[in-house]
Amino acid sequence: VDRNCARTDCWFCLASPTCEKHLIVTVYDSCYITMPKGAVNQHHTLIVPVNHIISDGRGGEGTPGHRRILGAFLDPTSGVEEEVQQAKEKLRRHANDVLDKDLFVFERAIPTRGGYHAHINCIPV
């Protein structure tokens, strides 16, 4: 089963026609940063893993090839978790240095028919 599947019905898959590409700030190899449709404030951003991970029915935690990032599963590609952490750190530094604010970070994993597409909310407060 291919776990790295772009879905045409997922708002967060870059290949999907429902992805709001005009909101994207930057794209890295394994994740991208975008503005949310319903921002809490003008500096609210999302870090979204590029790959949409689907379930093969064997469960999540402990399944070979799955790694947890907060509550969701990332694809097993080397460097994904590190890139997401680097993106969070860049946003945290920007919030602190430029906005003189802390960064509130939380994750939301959206269940879809084929699995989850995680996204990490980053809100300067």
Side-chain angles (χ1 to χ4, degrees):
V1 176
D2 180 11
R3 296 183 204 297
N4 303 322
C5 175
R7 297 176 53 107
T8 58
D9 60 344
C10 179
W11 292 351
F12 298 103
C13 286
L14 290 175
S16 171
T18 59
C19 180
E20 303 271 351
K21 293 176 182 65
H22 67 284
L23 297 174
I24 295 173
V25 176
T26 190
V27 178
Y28 299 108
D29 292 332
S30 304
C31 67
Y32 65 95
I33 298 174
T34 186
M35 305 299 290
K37 291 180 185 180
V40 172
N41 64 34
Q42 67 179 349
H43 301 290
H44 182 178
T45 56
L46 303 175
I47 302 171
V48 183
V50 169
N51 288 330
H52 180 106
I53 305 305
I54 62 174
S55 172
D56 59 7
R58 291 184 293 172
E61 192 167 357
T63 301
H66 279 103
R67 287 188 309 212
R68 276 197 172 282
I69 180 164
L70 303 175
F73 296 101
L74 285 177
D75 67 85
T77 307
S78 177
V80 175
E81 189 170 358
E82 294 82 6
E83 193 171 90
V84 168
Q85 295 301 334
Q86 288 172 1
K88 281 197 297 191
E89 186 53 37
K90 287 178 183 180
L91 291 171
R92 186 171 279 114
R93 278 196 311 268
H94 177 76
N96 189 350
D97 297 348
V98 177
L99 304 174
D100 195 30
K101 297 190 180 283
D102 290 324
L103 191 66
F104 177 61
V105 178
F106 67 96
E107 177 204 357
R108 184 164 181 217
I110 301 294
T112 63
R113 282 178 261 140
Y116 291 91
H117 203 135
H119 60 278
I120 301 161
N121 286 267
C122 300
I123 307 168
V125 292

